[in-house]
Amino acid sequence: MKRMISLLKACMTQNMNLFKVANKKQSQTTKKILPILIALMFLFYIWSYANMLMEPLVQVHQEITLLALFAFFSVMLTIIEGIYKSGSLLFNCKDDNLLLSLPIKKSTVLFVRMFKFYVFELLYNSLLLIPAMLVYIRYVSVDITFYIVSIIALLLLPIIPIIISCIIGGAISYFSTKFKYKNIVQILLTTVLLLAIMYMSFNIQGLMANIAESAESIRNIITVVYYPAGEYVNQVTEFNIINLIIYIAIHLVAFAATIFIFSKIYFKINSKVKVVKPISKDKKYTIKTRKPMMALIKKELNRFTTSPVFVINAGFGLVLFIVICLVIFFKFDGIEDILLEQGIDTSIETIKAYMPVILFGLICFASLMSSITSSMISLEGKSFNILKSLPTKPFNIVLAKVLTSILIMIPFIIVGNLILFVKFEFNIIEILMILLASFVLPLVSETIGILINLKYPKMDAESDTEVVKQSMSTMIAVLLGMMLTGLSIFGLVQCVMYGFSTELTLGLGLMVYAIVCAVLLLYLNKNGEKEFKKIDA
Amino acid sequence: MIEIKNVTKKYGENIALNNVSFNVNDGEIFAFIGHNGAGKTTLIKSIVGIHDFDEGDILINGKSIKTNPVQCKKEMAFVPDNPELYENMKAIDFINFICDMYEVDQVTRENNINKYAKMFEIENNLNDTINLFSHGMKQKIALISALAHNPKILIMDEPFVGLDPKAVFDVKEIMNEMIKEGKTIFFSTHILDVAEKLCSRVAIIKKGELIKVGSMDEIKGDKSLEKVFLELEN
């Protein structure tokens, strides 16, 4: 037990320091205040959203549905994130050699890794659940049992989803090892699975179109479909100590049983995942010359494509963009009725007329929410020194990272554009402006991403997941992306409400982002080198 | 030629290098020795432009690494002590990448890659990804990448660590060959026998301070380098 605690302490100190950055000149105050500020902004954002959902629920006295919904959201989020995170959080970790050589049980190593995973998910879930609980208290008077039950639920809710995602993630990792190109298989399997889960959760969200009317059915579905969320809701409405003890016991036993059973096969899977198949000795190597910038871009593409968690994380928003375009393509004719149900009285012709603006908004969403560069510096890890010793300007190195991420993003955005160009009649000016936006917006997003990562690099991560999902840089990028997307959509809506034409609205949007882009690139050129040199790998 | 002029490097309150000055002349093999944590790697990383330093300057063939980093780096090659290469890249792609960054023409790179790959007996592994390699093999890839662009100055941090005896012999041969061509080699090492046999000059560093610099005869006289080093350290 003592050894397990020591190991946990060592691993948590090494891995849980989300906000440790390799920029030695950053002040202690910034290091302490910034994480709190980010957390508060997330909490405020979710709190506002929860309030918005609560208002119609109060009218039908179904306040409890809010807790059911948020508990369900947190579960879905943990499963979705956990499936592609578990692959690199559990397998082929950099500390494998160290931990496996220590005189401890293998199940202890697995426990420590799963516990780390649990703590991260607990942090994420808290950002979702605490605001929902606060909103609930705002509208409903509660007694002490609510607080007890809520704290217990907060601690227990991530357990079952991480067990599910570890099993699925482990199965995908194992299955992928049977193929030569296991990374590609892993990416494809995970993407298919995530799309299937998203489709299922969309069905639940479909009920939210008219939340007040469906409140009871939403709650009932969640209660039936997912016991941990349902039991939490039941405990809030009717506290029962026996059921609460059973609730706690089920989670703890499930966690212990998973570690016990999973540890029997975990190390077999882990050693298979580590195996890299050598290429045939007969194959002669090729020596090829490239321009320095092309060589840098090729290197970045190689880094990107060989990291499943990086690919899936970056591709998620972009695939979602295409899915939304396809939904609009196939379901557009029924949109009038859907909007009417929501109380929005508008004709299909009006929506068609503003489709270029809607598409611009969607491009904002896809670009600003998919910051690939925000982890590209951190992913260099110790090999960052190679870049530092190269005979090229640091600006060229960071520019190559920005260009690579744009090269990854643009094809997705163009495909989405083409789907809507085929469906709707855009004029040539609108098409040109949309195409221009498809280049400018990713450029803005990726320049912001690289600037953030230069400022907050994490060069000592144990796995790609730590960088892509659990670093300060990516969190700031997500938050900024959310804020900019919100601001962009707000601006576009204002333009439409003022009666601006689509061309004028697109032109204004494009102009604003072109100016922002120019300023960011100038800033990167002027200060990027300074930040680059400060990074200590 | 490398000119190190009054270089001081601090990590917060810690002084890693304190007013270090010495020259490494053209056509010489120069060894840089000192205990673990004495400041060897810090100085080497400062020379190759990985670290900034707080005071002083470092000139590479007359150009300052502070003001002309790109030109300086083009004249040098660096082999780190622990080669952190791009693990997911094929070895040949990594070497090609480094050559591209140094803008090495096709003929030169073909000649050099083939020559050194054969010498290090690694030509059959160049199509494999680097994460398959042992420390020694990675060191060989780092050496091939460094040598492929015919650098005028070769800087190495503990170059013999992890290499097999044949590779150590080959590296020594390469060093001698480079010196005959008038090139400069500067390296840190803990293996004092190697330094004694190979080097024309040596510098000893202790806790960030340069305590001795000069030709091998000046430094050791009749004693062994090991004995002199231990005396100075005590």
Side-chain angles (χ1 to χ4, degrees):
Chain A
M1 194 62 184
K2 209 175 164 187
R3 280 189 293 187
M4 188 192 282
I5 292 167
S6 297
L7 186 61
L8 258 179
K9 203 176 148 193
C11 290
M12 295 310 242
T13 317
Q14 171 65 22
N15 297 146
M16 297 302 291
N17 201 347
L18 286 184
F19 305 109
K20 186 182 171 193
V21 291
N23 188 334
K24 289 195 167 177
K25 290 182 181 165
Q26 202 182 46
S27 75
Q28 285 299 315
T29 325
T30 316
K31 280 181 190 172
K32 281 174 189 163
I33 292 176
L34 204 65
I36 298 169
L37 208 67
I38 295 171
L40 285 176
M41 285 170 85
F42 264 114
L43 287 170
F44 177 73
Y45 186 83
I46 303 295
W47 184 80
S48 310
Y49 182 62
N51 262 309
M52 208 171 73
L53 284 178
M54 189 59 145
E55 277 164 23
L57 292 172
V58 172
Q59 288 163 16
V60 289
H61 306 294
Q62 282 290 334
E63 295 89 347
I64 193 72
T65 305
L66 186 85
L67 293 179
L69 268 175
F70 272 79
F72 184 74
F73 281 155
S74 74
V75 166
M76 294 313 287
L77 191 76
T78 311
I79 294 178
I80 289 173
E81 292 241 317
I83 286 172
Y84 71 92
K85 270 158 80 171
S86 60
S88 72
L89 272 180
L90 296 179
F91 303 108
N92 208 3
C93 300
K94 283 185 189 166
D95 58 0
D96 266 357
N97 290 347
L98 174 69
L99 294 190
L100 296 177
S101 67
L102 293 175
I104 45 172
K105 280 184 189 170
K106 288 182 174 179
S107 55
T108 309
V109 177
L110 179 63
F111 169 77
V112 169
R113 286 184 177 162
M114 281 191 69
F115 190 77
K116 255 168 33 184
F117 191 7
Y118 161 76
V119 174
F120 272 118
E121 294 312 316
L122 179 65
L123 285 174
Y124 285 129
N125 281 6
S126 303
L127 291 175
L128 265 181
L129 288 172
I130 291 174
M133 289 167 181
L134 291 175
V135 170
Y136 184 78
I137 296 168
R138 198 178 156 212
Y139 287 90
V140 181
S141 63
V142 294
D143 58 16
I144 187 74
T145 56
F146 171 82
Y147 295 100
I148 296 169
V149 168
S150 294
I151 290 168
I152 290 171
L154 194 67
L155 293 171
L156 296 182
L157 276 172
I159 291 179
I160 306 286
I162 69 163
I163 292 172
I164 296 171
S165 48
C166 283
I167 292 168
I168 298 174
I172 290 176
S173 298
Y174 179 73
F175 186 69
S176 312
T177 59
K178 300 198 174 295
F179 297 86
K180 188 178 173 188
Y181 298 103
K182 59 183 177 187
N183 280 349
I184 298 173
V185 175
Q186 196 176 347
I187 291 165
L188 284 175
L189 279 176
T190 312
T191 310
V192 168
L193 205 76
L194 292 181
L195 286 172
I197 293 171
M198 273 167 65
Y199 176 77
M200 272 157 46
S201 61
F202 272 150
N203 283 343
I204 292 279
Q205 283 177 4
L207 286 169
M208 285 173 60
N210 200 338
I211 191 163
E213 272 181 28
S214 324
E216 205 170 343
S217 35
I218 293 171
R219 188 191 140 188
N220 290 340
I221 289 172
I222 292 171
T223 312
V224 172
V225 167
Y226 191 64
Y227 161 78
E231 183 56 26
Y232 166 52
V233 170
N234 292 340
Q235 285 289 330
V236 169
T237 49
E238 203 175 329
F239 180 73
N240 181 318
I241 188 74
I242 305 292
N243 287 347
L244 186 65
I245 292 168
I246 294 171
Y247 184 65
I248 297 169
I250 286 175
H251 283 88
L252 297 183
V253 168
F255 193 64
T258 306
I259 289 170
F260 179 74
I261 298 166
F262 197 25
S263 65
K264 307 275 177 207
I265 51 166
Y266 169 66
F267 293 94
K268 278 183 194 158
I269 300 174
N270 196 31
S271 50
K272 282 203 180 251
V273 170
K274 279 167 175 281
V275 173
V276 183
K277 293 184 177 81
I279 290 169
S280 163
K281 299 261 185 254
D282 305 328
K283 201 175 165 188
K284 178 75 183 154
Y285 55 84
T286 47
I287 299 171
K288 204 174 171 186
T289 312
R290 287 184 182 82
K291 295 273 176 212
M293 183 53 80
M294 292 308 295
L296 282 168
I297 291 175
K298 185 176 180 278
K299 175 228 157 226
E300 294 302 337
L301 279 172
N302 174 277
R303 183 68 184 91
F304 178 77
T305 50
T306 51
S307 172
V309 69
F310 196 17
V311 173
I312 295 161
N313 194 58
F316 202 70
L318 298 167
V319 171
L320 194 63
F321 170 72
I322 295 181
V323 170
I324 293 171
C325 291
L326 282 170
V327 170
I328 294 174
F329 187 91
F330 289 110
K331 304 260 184 174
F332 184 75
D333 297 335
I335 203 160
E336 209 170 5
D337 298 335
I338 296 170
L339 289 174
L340 259 178
E341 274 175 25
Q342 301 265 321
I344 303 167
D345 189 9
T346 183
S347 73
I348 207 157
E349 291 310 314
T350 314
I351 304 168
K352 264 187 189 171
Y354 282 105
M355 194 44 79
V357 179
I358 295 170
L359 181 53
F360 189 93
L362 286 173
I363 297 170
C364 284
F365 163 78
S367 310
L368 298 168
M369 296 302 289
S370 310
S371 181
I372 299 172
T373 44
S374 62
S375 44
M376 274 182 154
I377 297 277
S378 305
L379 283 171
E380 294 285 341
K382 300 280 175 206
S383 55
F384 188 68
N385 282 340
I386 297 173
L387 292 181
K388 273 185 145 183
S389 68
L390 292 176
T392 187
K393 287 181 179 172
F395 179 73
N396 292 338
I397 294 169
V398 291
L399 188 66
K401 290 180 186 291
V402 172
L403 291 176
T404 308
S405 50
I406 291 175
L407 280 175
I408 295 162
M409 290 168 86
I410 286 180
F412 286 90
I413 297 176
I414 296 292
V415 169
N417 289 347
L418 288 175
I419 292 168
L420 295 189
F421 288 165
V422 170
K423 177 80 180 175
F424 303 98
E425 286 171 13
F426 286 54
N427 66 39
I428 188 74
I429 297 170
E430 290 165 346
I431 289 176
L432 284 175
M433 283 202 270
I434 288 290
L435 290 176
L436 208 55
S438 306
F439 173 76
V440 172
L441 282 159
L443 188 57
V444 169
S445 164
E446 298 311 308
T447 313
I448 292 173
I450 202 82
L451 282 169
I452 296 171
N453 204 196
L454 280 168
K455 194 83 186 161
Y456 303 104
K458 184 176 175 63
M459 312 304 283
D460 59 351
E462 290 293 324
S463 66
D464 288 359
T465 304
E466 263 185 50
V467 171
V468 175
K469 299 300 300 177
Q470 295 161 359
S471 67
M472 174 130 89
S473 174
T474 50
M475 283 185 193
I476 296 175
V478 168
L479 195 67
L480 256 177
M482 279 159 71
M483 284 163 62
L484 282 174
T485 306
L487 272 175
S488 308
I489 291 169
F490 176 78
L492 292 172
V493 170
Q494 291 302 310
C495 287
V496 170
M497 285 172 74
Y498 275 111
F500 291 1
S501 66
T502 49
E503 288 92 342
L504 184 60
T505 307
L506 292 182
L508 280 173
L510 206 49
M511 196 177 72
V512 169
Y513 274 109
I515 293 168
V516 171
C517 188
V519 171
L520 287 171
L521 285 171
L522 283 173
Y523 183 83
L524 183 65
N525 192 23
K526 198 178 168 202
N527 298 298
E529 187 166 335
K530 217 188 301 171
E531 297 297 339
F532 185 92
K533 281 183 178 172
K534 277 188 207 166
I535 298 168
D536 193 359
Chain B
M1 183 177 184
I2 308 169
E3 295 165 76
I4 296 150
K5 295 181 170 181
N6 311 101
V7 171
T8 297
K9 166 85 184 167
K10 292 173 190 163
Y11 291 112
E13 295 295 303
N14 258 347
I15 300 176
L17 296 171
N18 190 11
N19 202 25
V20 174
S21 295
F22 64 91
N23 293 344
V24 182
N25 301 317
D26 289 339
E28 72 179 7
I29 304 182
F30 194 107
F32 191 41
I33 56 180
H35 265 310
N36 293 329
K40 300 187 299 292
T41 300
T42 303
L43 182 65
I44 284 181
K45 285 185 174 173
S46 301
I47 296 172
V48 298
I50 291 175
H51 279 339
D52 268 345
F53 39 92
D54 303 293
E55 288 166 35
D57 205 354
I58 296 170
L59 306 182
I60 306 295
N61 290 336
K63 284 167 270 187
S64 164
I65 188 78
K66 267 188 172 173
T67 53
N68 284 306
V70 175
Q71 281 77 14
C72 288
K73 287 173 186 176
K74 276 189 176 167
E75 313 221 341
M76 293 186 280
F78 170 52
V79 181
D81 56 340
N82 193 8
E84 297 281 356
L85 312 179
Y86 299 130
E87 295 280 315
N88 295 313
M89 252 189 196
K90 282 187 201 173
I92 187 63
D93 289 344
F94 177 79
I95 300 167
N96 261 323
F97 168 70
I98 299 293
C99 287
D100 289 333
M101 299 311 297
Y102 282 87
E103 297 176 274
V104 184
D105 63 77
Q106 183 74 16
V107 178
T108 310
R109 80 169 72 184
E110 272 179 15
N111 289 340
N112 286 342
I113 294 172
N114 291 334
K115 174 183 159 186
Y116 294 118
K118 197 172 177 192
M119 182 183 272
F120 289 128
E121 296 172 342
I122 202 167
E123 69 262 53
N124 288 335
N125 302 91
L126 291 187
N127 260 328
D128 290 330
T129 47
I130 293 172
N131 56 6
L132 269 174
F133 290 180
S134 65
H135 177 94
M137 284 168 88
K138 286 181 189 170
Q139 191 78 352
K140 288 176 183 176
I141 296 299
L143 277 162
I144 296 172
S145 315
L147 296 166
H149 61 90
N150 290 332
K152 288 181 189 157
I153 299 170
L154 180 62
I155 296 169
M156 299 184 283
D157 194 0
E158 298 290 351
F160 304 110
V161 173
L163 289 179
D164 55 63
K166 158 85 169 62
V168 171
F169 175 80
D170 290 335
V171 173
K172 287 186 209 164
E173 287 293 297
I174 291 166
M175 287 163 85
N176 284 324
E177 199 181 298
M178 285 180 76
I179 292 308
K180 280 180 202 157
E181 292 168 14
K183 293 173 178 174
T184 310
I185 297 169
F186 178 72
F187 72 103
S188 71
T189 185
H190 285 125
I191 310 171
L192 299 182
D193 290 351
V194 174
E196 198 169 345
K197 280 177 193 154
L198 275 176
C199 301
S200 40
R201 290 209 305 144
V202 64
I204 301 173
I205 190 169
K206 184 183 177 184
K207 292 179 183 167
E209 307 250 2
L210 198 68
I211 53 171
K212 206 89 176 173
V213 61
S215 70
M216 196 55 79
D217 291 337
E218 283 166 7
I219 298 272
K220 71 182 184 76
D222 296 335
K223 300 173 188 169
S224 72
L225 183 60
E226 190 177 30
K227 198 167 184 187
V228 173
F229 175 71
L230 292 173
E231 280 172 7
L232 287 168
E233 281 289 318
N234 294 325

